[in-house]
């Protein structure tokens, strides 16, 4: 997430961690056999096939992938005439920690208007990754989505470690509460529903960061659910948790992989480390793929929910290391998110996609008194819900762009 806890506190944890490491103290208990550099491109999650691809490699999506999606959608349309082969709707949901309540409110309010489309593709990063399965399956999951983003508090997300565990481990806090929360909502029944939708050519994609490789990874969650593997639910949950794992603050998710018959371990952390929002690798052109496949006349729309602000937020910063660094990180994260909106706009212009984004309005003045403040989240949810019911004011160009 952009931050699961307040930015200054996150930064404080990171700074303390760095000072501890620089002091020469040894950190133990984290030995692993990492993937050798020359094998990074050849590793696989044992038992799974084509469940992930690099988010920065346009060649990771093949014409076979595009054709498979088209054929699945065409087959589904035979049984369901409401499926339009000439249109495609994509939803991408950003990180933002407790600000995810805004996205939850937008989706639930959008349902009430009767105009919310069924999305062919849903992508999520961090808190957006936690929203994405609900958004993908549609409005009958609005109650669960609302509950998840209006009733939780700090204790439902994290717990502080003791000093010894902090300085001998891989994070400052434990995310076991978050894992239990994810396990509550990601059930076998939900996975089976995702399988059914995946077979119709719809795709649910979640972003993590392979921290060794410094590269974004996009996970095809429907392919995981459809695998039939006995550990599919755990892997599905692990990917969601990894997408929200702030490096150094929350523990990374360790994934067992193989290459050339040897076992290794990858570390996956917050997808927001790479991108705040994503759709496809920037170098992959949907328009060119349509031309190669002779898919004429497909109308595409992209909706982006930015669970954060894109406008400057003035606040007086204390002249202290933690306060200065904390405000700097939050400013960096905000501007990374704005840059991602521009990247998606460039993709949309190139591929003739109708571009739409929404963010938290600057006149929303509530602030959090504690991380994951229920009052703040309920207020933000209500604001998103009301905005959707009044007709979502989607912006057609990125912030600050002169159309």
């Amino acid at each position: 997430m952009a931050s699961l806890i307040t930015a200054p506190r996150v930064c404080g944890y990171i700074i303390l961690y760095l000072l501890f490491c620089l002091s020469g103290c040894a950190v133990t208990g984290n030995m692993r056999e990492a993937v050798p550099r020359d094998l990074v491109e050849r590793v696989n999650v044992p038992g799974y096939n084509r469940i992930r691809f690099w988010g920065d490699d346009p060649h990771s999506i093949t014409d076979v992938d595009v054709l498979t999606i088209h054929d699945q959608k065409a087959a589904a349309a035979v049984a369901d005439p409401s499926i339009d082969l000439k249109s495609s709707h994509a939803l991408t949901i950003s990180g933002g920690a407790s600000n995810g309540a805004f996205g939850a409110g937008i989706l639930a309010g959008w349902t009430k208007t009767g105009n919310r489309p069924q999305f062919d593709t849903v992508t999520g990063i961090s808190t957006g990754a936690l929203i994405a399965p609900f958004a993908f399956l549609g409005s009958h999951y609005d109650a669960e989505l609302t509950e998840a983003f209006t009733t939780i508090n700090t204790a439902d997300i994290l717990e502080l470690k003791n000093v010894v565990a902090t300085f001998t481990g891989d994070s400052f806090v434990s995310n076991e509460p978050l894992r239990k929360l994810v396990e509550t909502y990601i059930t076998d029944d939900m996975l089976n529903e995702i399988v059914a939708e995946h077979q119709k050519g719809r795709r649910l994609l979640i972003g993590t960061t392979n921290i060794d490789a410094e590269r974004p990874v996009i996970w095809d969650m429907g392919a995981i659910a459809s695998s039939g593997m006995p550990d599919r639910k755990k892997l599905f949950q692990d990917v969601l948790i990894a997408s929200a794992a702030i490096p150094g603050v929350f523990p990374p998710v360790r994934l067992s992989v193989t290459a050339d018959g040897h076992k290794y371990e990858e570390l996956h952390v917050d997808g927001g480390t790479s991108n705040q929002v994503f759709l496809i690798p920037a170098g992959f052109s949907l328009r060119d793929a349509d031309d190669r496949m002779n898919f004429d006349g497909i109308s595409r729309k992209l909706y982006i929910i930015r669970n954060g602000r894109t406008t400057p937020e003035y606040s007086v910063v204390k002249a202290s290391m933690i306060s200065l660094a904390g405000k700097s990180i939050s400013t960096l994260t905000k501007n990374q998110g704005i840059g991602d909106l521009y990247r998606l706009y460039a993709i949309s212009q190139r591929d003739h996609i109708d571009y739409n984004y929404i963010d938290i309005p600057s006149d929303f003045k509530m602030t959090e008194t504690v991380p994951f403040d229920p009052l703040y989240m309920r207020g933000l949810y209500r604001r998103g819900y009301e905005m959707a019911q009044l007709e979502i004011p989607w912006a057609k160009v990125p912030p600050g762009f002169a159309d």
Side-chain angles (χ1 to χ4, degrees):
M1 300 181 182
S3 171
L4 271 173
I5 47 185
T6 57
R9 190 176 301 177
V10 169
C11 188
Y13 287 150
I14 294 172
I15 290 170
L16 288 173
Y17 177 74
L18 292 174
L19 290 175
F20 180 81
C21 291
L22 291 172
S23 72
C25 297
V27 178
T28 62
N30 289 315
M31 299 300 294
R32 67 185 175 99
E33 188 163 8
V35 179
R37 180 181 298 184
D38 59 345
L39 294 180
V40 166
E41 298 285 349
R42 294 174 16 213
V43 297
N44 294 293
V45 181
Y48 293 89
N49 182 43
R50 293 198 61 75
I51 59 169
R52 64 181 189 171
F53 53 94
W54 294 114
D56 57 2
D57 181 6
H59 303 294
S60 60
I61 301 176
T62 69
D63 286 352
V64 172
D65 296 325
V66 176
L67 187 60
T68 297
I69 291 172
H70 179 270
D71 288 349
Q72 288 176 329
K73 188 173 180 180
V78 174
D80 184 356
S82 69
I83 296 176
D84 185 358
L85 298 179
K86 292 297 185 180
S87 70
S88 179
H89 296 82
L91 171 69
T92 181
I93 313 168
S94 83
S98 55
N99 285 339
F102 175 72
I106 287 286
L107 287 166
W110 200 353
T111 295
K112 292 298 183 183
T113 69
N115 297 321
R116 176 176 159 184
Q118 176 174 272
F119 300 105
D120 298 274
T121 302
V122 175
T123 80
I125 288 281
S126 202
T127 198
L130 304 179
I131 295 172
F134 300 106
F136 179 75
L137 290 176
S139 58
H140 66 287
Y141 271 93
D142 282 357
E144 287 89 341
L145 180 60
T146 299
E147 178 184 69
F149 280 87
T150 60
T151 64
I152 63 172
N153 55 39
T154 306
D156 296 312
I157 302 298
L158 60 92
E159 60 186 10
L160 295 176
K161 293 181 176 180
N162 62 48
V163 174
V164 173
T166 294
F167 289 112
T168 59
D170 53 13
S171 64
F172 276 87
V173 302
S174 167
N175 61 0
E176 278 306 304
L178 175 61
R179 178 172 290 278
K180 291 176 182 177
L181 192 66
V182 169
E183 290 172 350
T184 297
Y185 287 105
I186 306 301
T187 63
D188 287 321
D189 287 343
M190 174 182 268
L191 259 62
N192 290 335
E193 287 189 55
I194 290 171
V195 170
E197 297 306 314
H198 181 81
Q199 291 171 348
K200 298 176 184 176
R202 300 179 63 217
R203 293 296 183 263
L204 171 61
L205 307 174
I206 298 299
T208 67
T209 301
N210 180 322
I211 198 63
D212 288 321
E214 294 185 345
R215 296 180 68 183
V217 178
I218 298 175
W219 297 81
D220 185 337
M221 306 302 279
I224 294 174
S226 302
S227 67
M229 292 293 292
D231 65 342
R232 64 171 190 154
K233 182 167 66 173
K234 183 179 185 305
L235 179 59
F236 193 105
Q237 295 166 346
D238 281 347
V239 171
L240 295 182
I241 293 166
S243 188
I246 303 170
V249 179
F250 290 90
V253 170
R254 297 168 177 248
L255 295 178
S256 296
V257 295
T258 58
D260 291 352
H262 196 85
K263 293 182 180 179
Y264 300 100
E265 191 173 66
E266 294 177 340
L267 295 185
H268 285 258
V269 301
D270 193 336
T273 308
S274 305
N275 302 296
Q276 289 296 305
V277 287
F278 73 95
L279 178 61
I280 53 176
F284 179 83
S285 171
L286 289 168
R287 183 184 178 190
D288 289 348
D290 286 347
D291 289 342
R292 289 193 302 272
M293 302 290 179
N294 294 317
F295 297 156
D296 296 328
I298 297 178
S299 172
R300 288 191 168 90
K301 289 190 175 184
L302 170 63
Y303 297 95
I304 307 164
I305 297 177
R306 171 65 183 142
N307 289 308
R309 292 180 173 89
T310 58
T311 53
E313 297 172 81
Y314 182 85
S315 63
V316 176
V317 180
K318 294 180 181 178
S320 67
M321 177 178 66
I322 289 178
S323 294
L324 287 166
K327 187 63 180 287
S328 297
I329 288 175
S330 64
T331 303
L332 176 65
T333 300
K334 175 184 289 185
N335 283 283
Q336 178 197 3
I338 293 171
D340 288 337
L341 291 175
Y342 272 83
R343 173 172 49 82
L344 291 181
Y345 181 71
I347 291 172
S348 298
Q349 291 292 101
R350 179 195 65 197
D351 292 344
H352 296 176
I353 300 171
D354 182 15
Y355 175 94
N356 306 269
Y357 92 88
I358 186 71
D359 65 341
I360 297 175
S362 59
D363 63 356
F364 181 78
K365 300 300 184 183
M366 287 186 69
T367 58
E368 286 186 287
T369 57
V370 294
F372 281 86
D373 180 351
L375 289 176
Y376 172 82
M377 293 178 70
R378 285 195 287 270
L380 189 53
Y381 174 91
R382 282 195 301 272
R383 184 59 184 275
Y385 188 94
E386 291 165 357
M387 287 172 65
Q389 283 202 307
L390 293 172
E391 187 174 350
I392 306 171
W394 298 105
K396 305 301 292 185
V397 295
F401 187 91
D403 189 9

